[in-house]
Amino acid sequence: LKICKTKYSSNAIEKCFEFHCKEIQEIIINKICENNNNIKELIMDPYGNYIIQKALLLCDPIHYEHIINVIATNTEKIKKLNFGYKLISKLLISHKLLADKLITQRKGM
């Protein structure tokens, strides 16, 4: 996870995703999804968030929903980051499930 949070090494991880090798993709996604703190830490990092965005495009439905749930739970914290509002806006456009989760959360309040 440390290498996901620096400029050049996060680019290398993104390239690993692009090799279309399912085994490599699964190893990375499984490590990210080991616990909620990993996802939260990466989504709130200026470089790590790109890894999360790429993972959302490639992961299976179970990991996808797990990542979306963590993002939805931390949306307000993410928006407070310098890049956070733009990131959340981008994710809302790309991932309908996130928008649905946020609407459901607001109705529950």
Side-chain angles (χ1 to χ4, degrees):
L1 292 175
K2 281 184 184 179
I3 64 172
C4 291
K5 297 190 316 183
T6 63
K7 183 176 182 173
Y8 298 108
S9 56
S10 68
N11 287 338
I13 296 294
E14 283 187 79
K15 292 294 180 195
C16 289
F17 276 134
E18 293 172 8
F19 281 130
H20 302 292
C21 176
K22 271 295 195 199
E23 292 83 24
I24 292 173
Q25 292 172 355
E26 287 177 13
I27 290 169
I28 296 169
I29 291 169
N30 285 334
K31 183 66 179 170
I32 290 168
C33 293
E34 258 179 7
N35 63 58
N36 292 352
N37 285 336
N38 290 353
I39 299 167
K40 183 179 171 184
E41 192 175 318
L42 290 177
I43 197 68
M44 297 182 93
D45 184 82
Y47 301 112
N49 77 77
Y50 289 101
I51 304 299
I52 296 293
Q53 291 178 62
K54 188 70 87 169
L56 284 169
L57 298 174
L58 299 170
C59 64
D60 60 68
I62 293 168
H63 284 120
Y64 180 84
E65 187 163 356
H66 179 72
I67 295 170
I68 290 293
N69 284 334
V70 173
I71 294 170
T73 303
N74 293 285
T75 299
E76 292 307 314
K77 291 177 187 173
I78 296 167
K79 282 183 183 178
K80 292 178 183 176
L81 302 169
N82 289 339
F83 59 90
Y85 189 79
K86 182 178 175 182
L87 173 62
I88 292 297
S89 297
K90 182 178 178 182
L91 291 172
L92 286 170
I93 291 168
S94 306
H95 303 281
K96 184 180 179 329
L97 182 60
L98 178 60
D100 294 344
K101 296 265 182 199
L102 293 176
I103 290 169
T104 303
Q105 279 181 358
R106 288 192 180 121
K107 286 181 182 177
M109 292 181 160

